[in-house]
Amino acid sequence: MVFLGEDRLSDGFRLIGFETHPNPDPELVDRTIRELLRGREKAFVVVDDAVMQQDIPSLKRVRREGGRIVVIAVPPLGEQPQLGSDVARRLAALFGNAVVNAKAEP
């Protein structure tokens, strides 16, 4: 279990047992994921939205291929999530961005 993202989130992930990399640069993210791939590791990788939006080759590869490494993104603290998955983009194309980005009722 690995977390790569903003430092405000990393403490919580560290407390529940994740290996954390607060405020990683793109090279660290790429290197970390390449090491998982090279070691043929099974991993659950959580990144923040900012990392997910960066042009990181190994991150794109594991998202495209799937398999042993599962990657999900979490939004910044206190902000509404911006869904960036392929499924979210398809739903937005079909139903409009308002449906995909609508706030859930409490």
Side-chain angles (χ1 to χ4, degrees):
M1 298 184 311
V2 179
F3 172 76
L4 299 136
E6 97 177 91
D7 60 347
R8 295 186 316 155
L9 292 170
S10 67
D11 286 341
F13 281 98
R14 184 180 42 77
L15 288 172
I16 59 172
F18 276 69
E19 171 187 328
T20 61
H21 300 276
N23 300 324
D25 58 34
E27 293 79 23
L28 176 62
V29 175
D30 192 52
R31 185 173 56 250
T32 301
I33 293 175
R34 278 188 287 119
E35 289 171 3
L36 293 170
L37 287 165
R38 189 174 18 259
R40 302 185 58 79
E41 302 284 338
K42 292 181 181 173
F44 177 56
V45 179
V46 178
V47 299
D48 65 18
D49 282 341
V51 169
M52 187 65 89
Q53 300 306 317
Q54 295 177 11
D55 185 22
I56 301 172
S58 61
L59 181 59
K60 287 182 176 182
R61 176 181 170 192
V62 297
R63 291 184 66 213
R64 184 177 55 247
E65 293 176 359
R68 296 180 314 275
I69 301 173
V70 175
V71 178
I72 66 163
V74 294
L77 287 176
E79 292 185 25
Q80 184 174 346
Q82 297 297 316
L83 302 177
S85 71
D86 292 334
V87 172
R89 282 189 288 279
R90 289 180 187 146
L91 288 172
L94 288 171
F95 303 109
N97 285 327
V99 172
V100 175
N101 293 324
K103 282 190 171 184
E105 293 295 320

